[in-house]
Amino acid sequence: MTDGTDGTDGTDGTDEGAPAAGVDSGAQAKRGGHPRHDLAPLLNAPVRLSVVAALAPLDKAEFGFVRDLVEVSDSVLSKQVAALEEAGWVAVRKGRVGRRPRTWISLTAEGRAVYERHLAALRAIALGQPGSTSG
């Protein structure tokens, strides 16, 4: 058992009370706790974070562009995009350019908000700023 002064919440260091991926952590943020409560667990995977970061400044991007930018295989990107799509954070649209099939990926409004909150939490943690990163 710990008194919490070691940076844990009295458990094994995991945040069992954290919301599941895709669930808004606003309730935890409102309590004014450590900025880690604003981190999106789904974005802890480097490839998913890289995909969302690649999409953030764009309206949409072609699958191949994101694949090459993030430097992963088609299958790896497909799996990670599927997880983000299931959470409602990216939208996938399939179509054709001439005779060639194409897939476009874009961040949803929710995905953009989650990414921005995640980045703000990372900045707050890195800078040693206590308190919530949510407004």
Side-chain angles (χ1 to χ4, degrees), residues 47-108:
V47 172
R48 286 191 293 262
L49 178 60
S50 297
V51 168
V52 172
L55 295 172
L58 308 172
D59 290 331
K60 65 181 177 182
E62 195 172 291
F63 185 93
F65 171 80
V66 176
R67 178 201 59 218
D68 294 346
L69 186 65
V70 178
E71 299 178 350
V72 294
S73 67
D74 286 353
S75 62
V76 168
L77 181 57
S78 181
K79 182 177 179 178
Q80 301 308 322
V81 167
L84 292 165
E85 183 179 29
E86 184 176 323
W89 297 352
V90 299
V92 177
R93 186 175 65 83
K94 296 185 180 272
R96 292 192 172 272
V97 174
R99 293 181 176 205
R100 294 180 171 254
R102 293 286 186 252
T103 301
W104 292 274
I105 312 164
S106 60
L107 277 181
T108 63

